[in-house]
Amino acid sequence: MTDPIRIDRRDGWHRITLNRPDKLNAANEAMLAALLAALDDAAADPACRALLLTGEGRGFCAGQELGPAVLPGPDGPPDLERLASSYHHEVIRRLRALPIPVVCAVNGVAAGAGASFALACDIVLAARSASFVIAFARIGLVPDSGASFFLPRLIGEARARALALLADPVPAAQAELWGLIWRVVDDAALAAEAEALTAKLAAGPTAAYALIKQAFAASPSNDLAAQLDLEARLQGAAGRGADFAEGVRAFLDKRPPVFPPPVFPPPVFTGRTG
Ligand code: T3D
């Protein structure tokens, strides 16, 4: 049987490829379990300083696999709450908890939870031919896997509500214009651009990146005062770190910085002090 996920370990980064191309990489339990393991593997590997998530074939991910597993059976209706909590939402939690930058290369259609997986990543590139479909309502479901969290924050509530209710496809170029993703790339250039970007991030200030991600993770639930407190503490930690020392030295020496391998786990700052 073909592995539902492929992991390529490169110099300083991993690429995870969703690998069920005949189903547009729709997610079943085996694929989701393998994806969770691949994310854990990246998190546990100190040599992995960035991650690239993409899909095989003409789709990125068509969301939950629609098949017998999600139809009513002899034991009654499917338990989607269990499926969401144990699998799809674990993927989102782990993607967001990774201290390293996560790039998503959306190589084709991203639908339902597949769109959510992309939106949970730090930087999303999409092939010009790709599209995003908030497909849940088409089949009588509600946006999950963080879709109702990410969409209004990224594109505003008016667009988010319309996409969730109408489930119209959003072409990649429109997604870029709206700020749903970072950038559209010509189809033929997507893989190379995404790999170059991930490699660049892998050579970047990994410890500082972890702190930057903490700032953005806390921002939606903080008021300005709390966010300023947090930024000060994060900056304090960054200022004590080797990345900053190297960054300043390199600036003064007029040479590119060579950031050291990170010390994991990075310090975690939450809430407000006093
Ligand atoms: O508990 C929980 O949390 C449940 C989780 C729910 C989260 C969700 O993700 S709900 C949303 C589930 N996904 C969808 O509703 C999308 C279904 N797919 C589509 O609407 C379309 O396939 C696309 C818009 C994504 C792409 O359309 P198109 O015309 O480019 O391709 P296609 O011909 O429809 O699909 C190609 C093949 O992939 C086809 O198989 P075939 O006929 O060639 O053998 C199709 O059946 C298969 N496929 C696509 N999506 C799925 C799928 N097979 C199973 N499950 C899918 N989700």
Side-chain angles (χ1 to χ4, degrees):
M1 203 180 74
T2 317
D3 288 340
I5 295 288
R6 270 201 332 267
I7 306 175
D8 300 295
R9 293 177 180 80
R10 302 290 182 84
D11 185 17
W13 55 280
H14 292 188
R15 182 178 65 191
I16 299 176
T17 307
L18 309 178
N19 189 33
R20 304 186 70 223
D22 54 325
K23 303 267 183 204
L24 301 181
N25 302 315
N28 59 11
E29 287 198 17
M31 187 177 107
L32 290 162
L35 178 55
L36 291 172
L39 294 174
D40 286 347
D41 178 54
D45 180 357
C48 180
R49 298 172 65 176
L51 185 67
L52 172 60
L53 177 64
T54 192
E56 183 63 44
R58 74 172 182 90
F60 169 68
C61 175
Q64 168 62 37
E65 174 167 53
L66 304 177
V70 292
L71 282 172
D75 300 330
D79 186 351
L80 294 193
E81 185 173 347
R82 181 198 69 85
L83 195 56
S85 309
S86 310
Y87 289 99
H88 303 81
H89 292 187
E90 270 308 311
V91 170
I92 301 300
R93 285 190 197 99
R94 286 181 210 196
L95 279 172
R96 297 298 270 200
L98 275 173
I100 55 175
V102 184
V103 175
C104 185
V106 179
N107 51 299
V109 64
S116 303
F117 293 166
L119 299 182
C121 297
D122 294 305
I123 299 181
V124 185
L125 302 179
R128 202 165 293 284
S129 66
S131 59
F132 295 80
V133 193
I134 310 306
F136 309 87
R138 281 190 187 176
I139 52 167
L141 290 183
V142 299
D144 76 359
S145 308
S148 63
F149 179 91
F150 300 127
L151 284 172
R153 285 170 172 78
L154 289 167
I155 58 175
E157 200 161 325
R159 287 170 175 152
R161 283 179 185 252
L163 290 186
L165 294 172
L166 300 172
D168 287 342
V170 180
Q174 183 73 64
E176 183 193 280
L177 277 176
W178 282 357
L180 188 64
I181 63 168
W182 167 237
R183 215 153 62 74
V184 175
V185 175
D186 287 339
D187 288 24
L190 179 71
E193 287 216 19
E195 290 183 13
L197 177 60
T198 311
K200 178 180 166 170
L201 289 163
T206 305
Y209 286 157
L211 300 174
I212 290 169
K213 289 186 65 156
Q214 285 187 43
F216 280 96
S219 173
S221 56
N222 270 348
D223 60 18
L224 177 61
Q227 193 67 12
L228 288 173
D229 282 354
L230 175 62
E231 285 180 359
R233 277 177 290 136
L234 292 169
Q235 203 68 296
R240 292 187 290 276
D243 285 347
F244 178 58
E246 168 59 9
V248 175
R249 267 189 221 109
F251 174 79
L252 296 175
D253 294 348
K254 300 187 186 303
R255 60 168 173 82
V258 181
F259 292 110
V263 179
F264 277 113
V268 176
F269 299 88
T270 50
R272 199 190 311 185
T273 54

